[in-house]
mmCIF file of all heavy atoms in Angstrom:
data_model
loop_
_atom_site.group_PDB
_atom_site.id
_atom_site.type_symbol
_atom_site.label_atom_id
_atom_site.label_comp_id
_atom_site.label_asym_id
_atom_site.label_seq_id
_atom_site.Cartn_x
_atom_site.Cartn_y
_atom_site.Cartn_z
ATOM 1 N N GLY A 1 0.780 -1.220 0.000
ATOM 2 C CA GLY A 1 0.000 0.000 0.000
ATOM 3 C C GLY A 1 0.812 1.271 0.000
ATOM 4 O O GLY A 1 0.271 2.364 0.133
ATOM 5 N N ARG A 2 2.121 1.153 -0.145
ATOM 6 C CA ARG A 2 2.927 2.363 -0.232
ATOM 7 C C ARG A 2 2.634 3.099 -1.537
ATOM 8 O O ARG A 2 2.550 4.319 -1.577
ATOM 9 C CB ARG A 2 4.413 2.030 -0.147
ATOM 10 C CG ARG A 2 5.274 3.283 -0.300
ATOM 11 C CD ARG A 2 6.749 3.014 -0.193
ATOM 12 N NE ARG A 2 7.479 4.227 -0.523
ATOM 13 C CZ ARG A 2 8.787 4.297 -0.603
ATOM 14 N NH1 ARG A 2 9.510 3.229 -0.364
ATOM 15 N NH2 ARG A 2 9.378 5.426 -0.925
ATOM 16 N N PHE A 3 2.514 2.338 -2.633
ATOM 17 C CA PHE A 3 2.089 2.895 -3.907
ATOM 18 C C PHE A 3 0.697 2.345 -4.178
ATOM 19 O O PHE A 3 0.513 1.129 -4.210
ATOM 20 C CB PHE A 3 3.051 2.496 -5.034
ATOM 21 C CG PHE A 3 4.473 2.915 -4.800
ATOM 22 C CD1 PHE A 3 5.511 2.007 -4.973
ATOM 23 C CD2 PHE A 3 4.791 4.202 -4.401
ATOM 24 C CE1 PHE A 3 6.831 2.382 -4.760
ATOM 25 C CE2 PHE A 3 6.105 4.587 -4.178
ATOM 26 C CZ PHE A 3 7.130 3.681 -4.355
ATOM 27 N N VAL A 4 -0.271 3.201 -4.368
ATOM 28 C CA VAL A 4 -1.662 2.769 -4.483
ATOM 29 C C VAL A 4 -2.130 2.817 -5.927
ATOM 30 O O VAL A 4 -1.552 3.520 -6.763
ATOM 31 C CB VAL A 4 -2.576 3.651 -3.602
ATOM 32 C CG1 VAL A 4 -2.188 3.519 -2.143
ATOM 33 C CG2 VAL A 4 -2.513 5.117 -4.046
ATOM 34 N N PRO A 5 -3.191 2.048 -6.273
ATOM 35 C CA PRO A 5 -3.711 2.061 -7.634
ATOM 36 C C PRO A 5 -4.012 3.472 -8.112
ATOM 37 O O PRO A 5 -4.677 4.252 -7.429
ATOM 38 C CB PRO A 5 -4.991 1.221 -7.521
ATOM 39 C CG PRO A 5 -4.676 0.252 -6.423
ATOM 40 C CD PRO A 5 -3.896 1.060 -5.427
ATOM 41 N N GLY A 6 -3.503 3.791 -9.299
ATOM 42 C CA GLY A 6 -3.682 5.107 -9.875
ATOM 43 C C GLY A 6 -2.546 6.068 -9.579
ATOM 44 O O GLY A 6 -2.471 7.146 -10.163
ATOM 45 N N GLN A 7 -1.647 5.677 -8.675
ATOM 46 C CA GLN A 7 -0.553 6.582 -8.308
ATOM 47 C C GLN A 7 0.557 6.562 -9.352
ATOM 48 O O GLN A 7 0.937 5.522 -9.866
ATOM 49 C CB GLN A 7 0.028 6.198 -6.945
ATOM 50 C CG GLN A 7 1.184 7.082 -6.504
ATOM 51 C CD GLN A 7 1.673 6.753 -5.117
ATOM 52 O OE1 GLN A 7 0.990 6.092 -4.349
ATOM 53 N NE2 GLN A 7 2.863 7.201 -4.786
ATOM 54 N N ARG A 8 1.108 7.730 -9.623
ATOM 55 C CA ARG A 8 2.231 7.839 -10.541
ATOM 56 C C ARG A 8 3.518 7.454 -9.836
ATOM 57 O O ARG A 8 3.747 7.831 -8.673
ATOM 58 C CB ARG A 8 2.337 9.271 -11.056
ATOM 59 C CG ARG A 8 3.446 9.478 -12.079
ATOM 60 C CD ARG A 8 3.554 10.936 -12.462
ATOM 61 N NE ARG A 8 4.660 11.169 -13.375
ATOM 62 C CZ ARG A 8 5.119 12.378 -13.681
ATOM 63 N NH1 ARG A 8 4.563 13.439 -13.152
ATOM 64 N NH2 ARG A 8 6.129 12.506 -14.513
ATOM 65 N N LEU A 9 4.356 6.693 -10.519
ATOM 66 C CA LEU A 9 5.662 6.309 -9.999
ATOM 67 C C LEU A 9 6.695 7.264 -10.579
ATOM 68 O O LEU A 9 6.966 7.236 -11.788
ATOM 69 C CB LEU A 9 5.976 4.859 -10.371
ATOM 70 C CG LEU A 9 4.976 3.821 -9.857
ATOM 71 C CD1 LEU A 9 5.322 2.432 -10.388
ATOM 72 C CD2 LEU A 9 4.918 3.815 -8.336
ATOM 73 N N VAL A 10 7.240 8.112 -9.744
ATOM 74 C CA VAL A 10 8.123 9.184 -10.211
ATOM 75 C C VAL A 10 9.556 8.665 -10.340
ATOM 76 O O VAL A 10 10.171 8.249 -9.355
ATOM 77 C CB VAL A 10 8.075 10.388 -9.246
ATOM 78 C CG1 VAL A 10 8.957 11.526 -9.766
ATOM 79 C CG2 VAL A 10 6.633 10.858 -9.081
ATOM 80 N N GLU A 11 10.074 8.690 -11.556
ATOM 81 C CA GLU A 11 11.395 8.128 -11.820
ATOM 82 C C GLU A 11 12.488 8.788 -10.979
ATOM 83 O O GLU A 11 13.344 8.098 -10.423
ATOM 84 C CB GLU A 11 11.743 8.274 -13.307
ATOM 85 C CG GLU A 11 10.950 7.362 -14.215
ATOM 86 C CD GLU A 11 11.429 7.441 -15.651
ATOM 87 O OE1 GLU A 11 12.430 8.148 -15.910
ATOM 88 O OE2 GLU A 11 10.815 6.784 -16.510
ATOM 89 N N ALA A 12 12.469 10.109 -10.893
ATOM 90 C CA ALA A 12 13.534 10.811 -10.173
ATOM 91 C C ALA A 12 13.573 10.400 -8.713
ATOM 92 O O ALA A 12 14.646 10.202 -8.132
ATOM 93 C CB ALA A 12 13.341 12.323 -10.301
ATOM 94 N N ASP A 13 12.405 10.261 -8.087
ATOM 95 C CA ASP A 13 12.342 9.861 -6.675
ATOM 96 C C ASP A 13 12.876 8.442 -6.487
ATOM 97 O O ASP A 13 13.640 8.164 -5.555
ATOM 98 C CB ASP A 13 10.910 9.932 -6.160
ATOM 99 C CG ASP A 13 10.382 11.358 -6.070
ATOM 100 O OD1 ASP A 13 11.193 12.292 -6.223
ATOM 101 O OD2 ASP A 13 9.168 11.524 -5.838
ATOM 102 N N LEU A 14 12.461 7.540 -7.382
ATOM 103 C CA LEU A 14 12.825 6.133 -7.210
ATOM 104 C C LEU A 14 14.294 5.869 -7.535
ATOM 105 O O LEU A 14 14.945 5.068 -6.855
ATOM 106 C CB LEU A 14 11.923 5.257 -8.080
ATOM 107 C CG LEU A 14 10.472 5.153 -7.581
ATOM 108 C CD1 LEU A 14 9.585 4.500 -8.628
ATOM 109 C CD2 LEU A 14 10.409 4.374 -6.270
ATOM 110 N N THR A 15 14.835 6.525 -8.556
ATOM 111 C CA THR A 15 16.249 6.316 -8.855
ATOM 112 C C THR A 15 17.124 6.832 -7.709
ATOM 113 O O THR A 15 18.143 6.218 -7.373
ATOM 114 C CB THR A 15 16.654 7.012 -10.173
ATOM 115 O OG1 THR A 15 16.279 8.393 -10.115
ATOM 116 C CG2 THR A 15 15.997 6.346 -11.360
ATOM 117 N N ALA A 16 16.702 7.939 -7.086
ATOM 118 C CA ALA A 16 17.466 8.484 -5.963
ATOM 119 C C ALA A 16 17.371 7.577 -4.742
ATOM 120 O O ALA A 16 18.362 7.326 -4.049
ATOM 121 C CB ALA A 16 16.960 9.883 -5.618
ATOM 122 N N GLU A 17 16.185 7.063 -4.480
ATOM 123 C CA GLU A 17 15.986 6.210 -3.303
ATOM 124 C C GLU A 17 16.697 4.868 -3.443
ATOM 125 O O GLU A 17 17.312 4.380 -2.493
ATOM 126 C CB GLU A 17 14.496 5.968 -3.069
ATOM 127 C CG GLU A 17 14.213 5.053 -1.886
ATOM 128 C CD GLU A 17 12.734 4.843 -1.631
ATOM 129 O OE1 GLU A 17 11.908 5.515 -2.271
ATOM 130 O OE2 GLU A 17 12.418 3.997 -0.782
ATOM 131 N N LEU A 18 16.613 4.284 -4.636
ATOM 132 C CA LEU A 18 17.151 2.944 -4.828
ATOM 133 C C LEU A 18 18.605 2.937 -5.271
ATOM 134 O O LEU A 18 19.261 1.901 -5.231
ATOM 135 C CB LEU A 18 16.304 2.184 -5.852
ATOM 136 C CG LEU A 18 14.808 2.048 -5.529
ATOM 137 C CD1 LEU A 18 14.107 1.266 -6.614
ATOM 138 C CD2 LEU A 18 14.604 1.405 -4.176
ATOM 139 N N GLY A 19 19.088 4.074 -5.716
ATOM 140 C CA GLY A 19 20.469 4.131 -6.168
ATOM 141 C C GLY A 19 20.699 3.332 -7.433
ATOM 142 O O GLY A 19 21.728 2.666 -7.576
ATOM 143 N N VAL A 20 19.716 3.391 -8.352
ATOM 144 C CA VAL A 20 19.837 2.664 -9.618
ATOM 145 C C VAL A 20 19.707 3.646 -10.771
ATOM 146 O O VAL A 20 19.249 4.781 -10.602
ATOM 147 C CB VAL A 20 18.756 1.564 -9.742
ATOM 148 C CG1 VAL A 20 18.911 0.538 -8.648
ATOM 149 C CG2 VAL A 20 17.352 2.175 -9.720
ATOM 150 N N SER A 21 20.095 3.203 -11.948
ATOM 151 C CA SER A 21 20.015 4.058 -13.125
ATOM 152 C C SER A 21 18.577 4.161 -13.612
ATOM 153 O O SER A 21 17.731 3.298 -13.327
ATOM 154 C CB SER A 21 20.882 3.491 -14.246
ATOM 155 O OG SER A 21 20.345 2.265 -14.713
ATOM 156 N N ARG A 22 18.317 5.207 -14.380
ATOM 157 C CA ARG A 22 16.988 5.380 -14.944
ATOM 158 C C ARG A 22 16.667 4.256 -15.926
ATOM 159 O O ARG A 22 15.521 3.803 -16.011
ATOM 160 C CB ARG A 22 16.907 6.741 -15.638
ATOM 161 C CG ARG A 22 15.526 7.062 -16.209
ATOM 162 C CD ARG A 22 15.328 8.546 -16.400
ATOM 163 N NE ARG A 22 15.249 9.238 -15.132
ATOM 164 C CZ ARG A 22 14.870 10.517 -14.982
ATOM 165 N NH1 ARG A 22 14.552 11.228 -16.056
ATOM 166 N NH2 ARG A 22 14.827 11.077 -13.809
ATOM 167 N N SER A 23 17.660 3.783 -16.657
ATOM 168 C CA SER A 23 17.421 2.704 -17.621
ATOM 169 C C SER A 23 17.028 1.414 -16.905
ATOM 170 O O SER A 23 16.150 0.676 -17.369
ATOM 171 C CB SER A 23 18.649 2.469 -18.493
ATOM 172 O OG SER A 23 19.765 2.086 -17.710
ATOM 173 N N LEU A 24 17.659 1.129 -15.761
ATOM 174 C CA LEU A 24 17.309 -0.070 -14.996
ATOM 175 C C LEU A 24 15.895 0.049 -14.431
ATOM 176 O O LEU A 24 15.118 -0.920 -14.444
ATOM 177 C CB LEU A 24 18.313 -0.278 -13.852
ATOM 178 C CG LEU A 24 18.217 -1.615 -13.110
ATOM 179 C CD1 LEU A 24 18.489 -2.778 -14.053
ATOM 180 C CD2 LEU A 24 19.196 -1.647 -11.948
ATOM 181 N N LEU A 25 15.540 1.235 -13.948
ATOM 182 C CA LEU A 25 14.194 1.446 -13.419
ATOM 183 C C LEU A 25 13.157 1.298 -14.525
ATOM 184 O O LEU A 25 12.112 0.664 -14.328
ATOM 185 C CB LEU A 25 14.090 2.832 -12.784
ATOM 186 C CG LEU A 25 12.727 3.187 -12.175
ATOM 187 C CD1 LEU A 25 12.404 2.265 -11.010
ATOM 188 C CD2 LEU A 25 12.714 4.644 -11.715
ATOM 189 N N ARG A 26 13.440 1.848 -15.693
ATOM 190 C CA ARG A 26 12.494 1.752 -16.797
ATOM 191 C C ARG A 26 12.315 0.306 -17.262
ATOM 192 O O ARG A 26 11.224 -0.095 -17.680
ATOM 193 C CB ARG A 26 12.947 2.642 -17.955
ATOM 194 C CG ARG A 26 12.753 4.117 -17.655
ATOM 195 C CD ARG A 26 13.220 5.000 -18.789
ATOM 196 N NE ARG A 26 12.963 6.404 -18.497
ATOM 197 C CZ ARG A 26 13.349 7.414 -19.275
ATOM 198 N NH1 ARG A 26 14.014 7.167 -20.399
ATOM 199 N NH2 ARG A 26 13.061 8.659 -18.933
ATOM 200 N N GLU A 27 13.379 -0.485 -17.189
ATOM 201 C CA GLU A 27 13.264 -1.905 -17.514
ATOM 202 C C GLU A 27 12.347 -2.603 -16.514
ATOM 203 O O GLU A 27 11.525 -3.457 -16.886
ATOM 204 C CB GLU A 27 14.643 -2.568 -17.506
ATOM 205 C CG GLU A 27 14.625 -4.077 -17.732
ATOM 206 C CD GLU A 27 13.981 -4.479 -19.045
ATOM 207 O OE1 GLU A 27 14.005 -3.679 -20.013
ATOM 208 O OE2 GLU A 27 13.431 -5.599 -19.115
ATOM 209 N N ALA A 28 12.460 -2.235 -15.225
ATOM 210 C CA ALA A 28 11.562 -2.791 -14.206
ATOM 211 C C ALA A 28 10.121 -2.385 -14.493
ATOM 212 O O ALA A 28 9.188 -3.201 -14.362
ATOM 213 C CB ALA A 28 11.981 -2.311 -12.818
ATOM 214 N N PHE A 29 9.918 -1.141 -14.898
ATOM 215 C CA PHE A 29 8.581 -0.682 -15.274
ATOM 216 C C PHE A 29 8.019 -1.521 -16.421
ATOM 217 O O PHE A 29 6.852 -1.917 -16.407
ATOM 218 C CB PHE A 29 8.618 0.788 -15.705
ATOM 219 C CG PHE A 29 8.733 1.777 -14.578
ATOM 220 C CD1 PHE A 29 8.991 3.115 -14.846
ATOM 221 C CD2 PHE A 29 8.577 1.394 -13.256
ATOM 222 C CE1 PHE A 29 9.091 4.045 -13.821
ATOM 223 C CE2 PHE A 29 8.682 2.314 -12.214
ATOM 224 C CZ PHE A 29 8.939 3.647 -12.507
ATOM 225 N N ARG A 30 8.852 -1.787 -17.427
ATOM 226 C CA ARG A 30 8.387 -2.563 -18.576
ATOM 227 C C ARG A 30 7.992 -3.973 -18.157
ATOM 228 O O ARG A 30 6.985 -4.516 -18.638
ATOM 229 C CB ARG A 30 9.473 -2.607 -19.657
ATOM 230 C CG ARG A 30 9.597 -1.316 -20.463
ATOM 231 C CD ARG A 30 10.474 -1.503 -21.693
ATOM 232 N NE ARG A 30 11.886 -1.663 -21.327
ATOM 233 C CZ ARG A 30 12.736 -0.660 -21.180
ATOM 234 N NH1 ARG A 30 12.334 0.591 -21.356
ATOM 235 N NH2 ARG A 30 13.995 -0.875 -20.870
ATOM 236 N N ARG A 31 8.768 -4.565 -17.275
ATOM 237 C CA ARG A 31 8.447 -5.925 -16.818
ATOM 238 C C ARG A 31 7.140 -5.947 -16.028
ATOM 239 O O ARG A 31 6.296 -6.838 -16.213
ATOM 240 C CB ARG A 31 9.603 -6.467 -15.977
ATOM 241 C CG ARG A 31 10.823 -6.821 -16.812
ATOM 242 C CD ARG A 31 12.014 -7.187 -15.965
ATOM 243 N NE ARG A 31 11.755 -8.284 -15.042
ATOM 244 C CZ ARG A 31 12.641 -8.757 -14.184
ATOM 245 N NH1 ARG A 31 13.870 -8.230 -14.144
ATOM 246 N NH2 ARG A 31 12.341 -9.757 -13.389
ATOM 247 N N LEU A 32 6.955 -4.969 -15.164
ATOM 248 C CA LEU A 32 5.721 -4.911 -14.374
ATOM 249 C C LEU A 32 4.521 -4.561 -15.243
ATOM 250 O O LEU A 32 3.400 -5.000 -14.968
ATOM 251 C CB LEU A 32 5.876 -3.900 -13.240
ATOM 252 C CG LEU A 32 6.826 -4.331 -12.119
ATOM 253 C CD1 LEU A 32 7.046 -3.196 -11.135
ATOM 254 C CD2 LEU A 32 6.283 -5.567 -11.386
ATOM 255 N N SER A 33 4.759 -3.796 -16.296
ATOM 256 C CA SER A 33 3.681 -3.502 -17.233
ATOM 257 C C SER A 33 3.253 -4.759 -17.962
ATOM 258 O O SER A 33 2.056 -5.016 -18.162
ATOM 259 C CB SER A 33 4.142 -2.438 -18.234
ATOM 260 O OG SER A 33 3.149 -2.201 -19.213
ATOM 261 N N ALA A 34 4.223 -5.589 -18.362
ATOM 262 C CA ALA A 34 3.914 -6.843 -19.048
ATOM 263 C C ALA A 34 3.135 -7.791 -18.146
ATOM 264 O O ALA A 34 2.327 -8.600 -18.625
ATOM 265 C CB ALA A 34 5.207 -7.511 -19.519
ATOM 266 N N GLU A 35 3.339 -7.681 -16.836
ATOM 267 C CA GLU A 35 2.635 -8.528 -15.869
ATOM 268 C C GLU A 35 1.300 -7.926 -15.453
ATOM 269 O O GLU A 35 0.571 -8.521 -14.652
ATOM 270 C CB GLU A 35 3.514 -8.748 -14.635
ATOM 271 C CG GLU A 35 4.769 -9.570 -14.919
ATOM 272 C CD GLU A 35 5.653 -9.715 -13.700
ATOM 273 O OE1 GLU A 35 5.175 -9.439 -12.586
ATOM 274 O OE2 GLU A 35 6.822 -10.113 -13.850
ATOM 275 N N GLY A 36 0.968 -6.736 -15.971
ATOM 276 C CA GLY A 36 -0.318 -6.116 -15.651
ATOM 277 C C GLY A 36 -0.364 -5.410 -14.320
ATOM 278 O O GLY A 36 -1.450 -5.125 -13.806
ATOM 279 N N VAL A 37 0.798 -5.091 -13.739
ATOM 280 C CA VAL A 37 0.837 -4.453 -12.427
ATOM 281 C C VAL A 37 0.822 -2.931 -12.552
ATOM 282 O O VAL A 37 0.211 -2.235 -11.739
ATOM 283 C CB VAL A 37 2.088 -4.898 -11.635
ATOM 284 C CG1 VAL A 37 2.165 -4.196 -10.286
ATOM 285 C CG2 VAL A 37 2.069 -6.406 -11.459
ATOM 286 N N ILE A 38 1.509 -2.410 -13.549
ATOM 287 C CA ILE A 38 1.509 -0.971 -13.787
ATOM 288 C C ILE A 38 1.129 -0.697 -15.226
ATOM 289 O O ILE A 38 1.106 -1.618 -16.052
ATOM 290 C CB ILE A 38 2.877 -0.320 -13.467
ATOM 291 C CG1 ILE A 38 3.939 -0.767 -14.484
ATOM 292 C CG2 ILE A 38 3.313 -0.620 -12.036
ATOM 293 C CD1 ILE A 38 5.245 -0.015 -14.347
ATOM 294 N N GLU A 39 0.819 0.554 -15.507
ATOM 295 C CA GLU A 39 0.530 0.986 -16.867
ATOM 296 C C GLU A 39 1.508 2.084 -17.239
ATOM 297 O O GLU A 39 1.778 2.976 -16.434
ATOM 298 C CB GLU A 39 -0.901 1.512 -16.970
ATOM 299 C CG GLU A 39 -1.949 0.448 -16.738
ATOM 300 C CD GLU A 39 -3.355 1.006 -16.841
ATOM 301 O OE1 GLU A 39 -3.878 1.489 -15.835
ATOM 302 O OE2 GLU A 39 -3.922 0.938 -17.953
ATOM 303 N N ILE A 40 2.042 2.007 -18.444
ATOM 304 C CA ILE A 40 2.933 3.048 -18.935
ATOM 305 C C ILE A 40 2.168 3.876 -19.957
ATOM 306 O O ILE A 40 1.752 3.369 -21.000
ATOM 307 C CB ILE A 40 4.201 2.445 -19.567
ATOM 308 C CG1 ILE A 40 4.966 1.620 -18.508
ATOM 309 C CG2 ILE A 40 5.094 3.547 -20.127
ATOM 310 C CD1 ILE A 40 6.179 0.897 -19.043
ATOM 311 N N VAL A 41 1.937 5.133 -19.609
ATOM 312 C CA VAL A 41 1.160 6.032 -20.458
ATOM 313 C C VAL A 41 2.134 6.893 -21.256
ATOM 314 O O VAL A 41 2.941 7.615 -20.658
ATOM 315 C CB VAL A 41 0.237 6.929 -19.609
ATOM 316 C CG1 VAL A 41 -0.625 7.815 -20.512
ATOM 317 C CG2 VAL A 41 -0.635 6.072 -18.699
ATOM 318 N N PRO A 42 2.113 6.831 -22.582
ATOM 319 C CA PRO A 42 3.053 7.606 -23.405
ATOM 320 C C PRO A 42 3.063 9.081 -23.022
ATOM 321 O O PRO A 42 2.014 9.698 -22.861
ATOM 322 C CB PRO A 42 2.515 7.402 -24.830
ATOM 323 C CG PRO A 42 1.818 6.086 -24.768
ATOM 324 C CD PRO A 42 1.192 6.025 -23.407
ATOM 325 N N ASN A 43 4.261 9.607 -22.865
ATOM 326 C CA ASN A 43 4.486 11.020 -22.535
ATOM 327 C C ASN A 43 3.950 11.424 -21.163
ATOM 328 O O ASN A 43 3.909 12.613 -20.846
ATOM 329 C CB ASN A 43 3.855 11.934 -23.604
ATOM 330 C CG ASN A 43 4.404 11.666 -24.990
ATOM 331 O OD1 ASN A 43 5.611 11.500 -25.169
ATOM 332 N ND2 ASN A 43 3.514 11.583 -25.965
ATOM 333 N N ARG A 44 3.560 10.441 -20.357
ATOM 334 C CA ARG A 44 3.028 10.761 -19.036
ATOM 335 C C ARG A 44 3.752 10.002 -17.920
ATOM 336 O O ARG A 44 3.953 10.532 -16.848
ATOM 337 C CB ARG A 44 1.518 10.470 -18.981
ATOM 338 C CG ARG A 44 0.707 11.295 -19.972
ATOM 339 C CD ARG A 44 -0.772 11.012 -19.824
ATOM 340 N NE ARG A 44 -1.552 11.696 -20.852
ATOM 341 C CZ ARG A 44 -2.872 11.613 -20.948
ATOM 342 N NH1 ARG A 44 -3.567 10.882 -20.094
ATOM 343 N NH2 ARG A 44 -3.511 12.260 -21.907
ATOM 344 N N GLY A 45 4.110 8.757 -18.182
ATOM 345 C CA GLY A 45 4.851 8.022 -17.180
ATOM 346 C C GLY A 45 4.201 6.710 -16.771
ATOM 347 O O GLY A 45 3.291 6.217 -17.421
ATOM 348 N N ALA A 46 4.695 6.152 -15.663
ATOM 349 C CA ALA A 46 4.218 4.866 -15.161
ATOM 350 C C ALA A 46 3.282 5.083 -13.978
ATOM 351 O O ALA A 46 3.564 5.879 -13.088
ATOM 352 C CB ALA A 46 5.404 4.001 -14.730
ATOM 353 N N LEU A 47 2.165 4.361 -13.987
ATOM 354 C CA LEU A 47 1.197 4.440 -12.907
ATOM 355 C C LEU A 47 0.826 3.039 -12.454
ATOM 356 O O LEU A 47 0.775 2.107 -13.259
ATOM 357 C CB LEU A 47 -0.084 5.164 -13.349
ATOM 358 C CG LEU A 47 0.062 6.624 -13.779
ATOM 359 C CD1 LEU A 47 0.245 6.710 -15.287
ATOM 360 C CD2 LEU A 47 -1.165 7.430 -13.370
ATOM 361 N N VAL A 48 0.563 2.897 -11.165
ATOM 362 C CA VAL A 48 0.078 1.620 -10.650
ATOM 363 C C VAL A 48 -1.288 1.359 -11.274
ATOM 364 O O VAL A 48 -2.158 2.237 -11.290
ATOM 365 C CB VAL A 48 -0.046 1.650 -9.112
ATOM 366 C CG1 VAL A 48 -0.560 0.298 -8.601
ATOM 367 C CG2 VAL A 48 1.300 1.980 -8.485
#
């Protein structure tokens, strides 16, 4: 429940918190999108 349905996942916040590259985070987003956990909206970002 830290990230709730409809919430935007902010890349800058997560890369800083996790200490990972933006490309690695975006790959994680793509994998979770393929599993139906998040949605990637063109020009808007990733949302739960």
Side-chain angles (χ1 to χ4, degrees):
R2 177 179 173 184
F3 302 132
V4 298
Q7 179 176 343
R8 183 184 176 192
L9 301 175
V10 182
E11 289 186 4
D13 292 350
L14 288 169
T15 54
E17 178 178 352
L18 303 181
V20 298
S21 67
R22 183 158 291 191
S23 61
L24 190 62
L25 180 64
R26 287 179 177 175
E27 176 58 28
F29 284 170
R30 283 192 289 271
R31 287 173 56 181
L32 289 173
S33 176
E35 293 177 15
V37 178
I38 69 172
E39 294 180 273
I40 299 176
V41 183
N43 302 316
R44 299 183 186 180
L47 298 94
V48 180

